Amino acid sequence: MIIESKTIELKDGRKCVIRNACATDAAQMINYLKVSAAETEFILRYPDEVQYTEESEAEILEKNKANPHSFMAVAEVDGVIAGNCAINPCGGKRKIRHRCEFGIALMKEYWNLGIGTALIEFAIENAKKLGYLQIELYVSVKNERAIALYEKHGFKNYGTRPRELLLDSGEFTDSYFMVLMLD
């Protein structure tokens, strides 16, 4: 879905533009995915698993932009992709069409500036425009910062998924299933 861009002022006074991710972002997105994956164990991939070419990433971004049931937005600060968020359908069957999945990530350099809050609010607003009635996500039980942010925006914990992640260290991590009702 093509979404309307939004500009916010960050806590440090800089401007952040939240907008559709597009094909011209491919190289920066690949870098962003690698950097953010290296900075925290809470991202679902390791940096070496980011194996997109610029061409394949550009294709993914354009397909997402053309999909009327989803969107991917980037948060751009001083010409740099600092973070992103996405809304994707849980499925196309009528019985589950009201549900969408939410994902978000932000490079550590841009934490505590208000971008995470802005991306969540942006995602909620646009999920409503897409006609979704609930937003779902999984978050590591250890990711206290993200859990607090989701709860601040009305997400509620509906259970635990045991051993969701298996880290390279051999450690398992459980995740909470969180949902925000939009109706």
Side-chain angles (χ1 to χ4, degrees), residues 9-10 17 19 27 33-34 36 50-51 62 73 76 80 98 108 118 126 146 179:
E9 184 170 331
L10 301 179
V17 178
R19 60 170 178 77
L33 292 170
K34 288 179 180 179
S36 61
V50 179
Q51 298 183 352
E62 283 304 306
E76 186 177 47
V80 175
H98 64 289
K108 201 171 201 172
N126 283 288
V179 179

Side-chain angles (χ1 to χ4, degrees), residues 101-163:
E101 298 174 326
F102 173 65
I104 185 172
L106 190 60
M107 288 197 297
K108 201 171 201 172
E109 172 183 350
Y110 298 95
W111 290 5
N112 300 312
L113 294 174
I115 297 172
T117 292
L119 284 172
I120 290 174
E121 291 170 357
F122 188 81
I124 292 169
E125 174 186 329
N126 283 288
K128 288 177 181 178
K129 288 179 184 176
L130 286 169
Y132 290 113
L133 301 179
Q134 71 187 53
I135 302 174
E136 303 174 1
L137 61 87
Y138 285 96
V139 59
S140 169
V141 298
K142 295 180 179 183
N143 194 346
E144 295 172 1
R145 292 169 41 88
I147 293 165
L149 189 60
Y150 298 143
E151 288 175 340
K152 172 182 156 186
H153 287 89
F155 283 84
K156 299 210 179 327
N157 182 349
Y158 283 89
T160 303
R161 181 185 266 182
R163 296 168 42 140

Side-chain angles (χ1 to χ4, degrees), residues 93-107:
K93 304 285 188 237
R94 286 193 309 276
K95 291 180 181 180
I96 61 171
R97 245 188 252 161
H98 64 289
R99 299 168 41 220
C100 65
E101 298 174 326
F102 173 65
I104 185 172
L106 190 60
M107 288 197 297

Side-chain angles (χ1 to χ4, degrees), residues 7-117:
T7 302
I8 61 165
E9 184 170 331
L10 301 179
K11 291 178 184 177
D12 66 1
R14 290 184 290 172
K15 300 288 185 212
C16 173
V17 178
I18 301 173
R19 60 170 178 77
N20 270 111
C22 54
T24 56
D25 296 320
Q28 268 205 70
M29 279 297 289
I30 292 168
N31 180 64
Y32 154 76
L33 292 170
K34 288 179 180 179
V35 170
S36 61
E39 293 178 327
T40 176
E41 67 181 24
F42 303 128
I43 302 288
L44 290 180
R45 66 175 63 89
Y46 284 105
D48 64 322
E49 294 176 305
V50 179
Q51 298 183 352
Y52 307 108
T53 64
E54 279 189 48
E55 295 76 23
S56 67
E57 180 66 10
E59 188 176 314
I60 290 167
L61 296 174
E62 283 304 306
K63 280 183 180 176
N64 196 294
K65 191 173 167 184
N67 185 334
H69 305 291
S70 66
F71 70 85
M72 180 182 291
V74 294
E76 186 177 47
V77 180
D78 298 328
V80 175
I81 293 176
N84 82 322
C85 70
I87 289 286
N88 290 296
C90 288
K93 304 285 188 237
R94 286 193 309 276
K95 291 180 181 180
I96 61 171
R97 245 188 252 161
H98 64 289
R99 299 168 41 220
C100 65
E101 298 174 326
F102 173 65
I104 185 172
L106 190 60
M107 288 197 297
K108 201 171 201 172
E109 172 183 350
Y110 298 95
W111 290 5
N112 300 312
L113 294 174
I115 297 172
T117 292

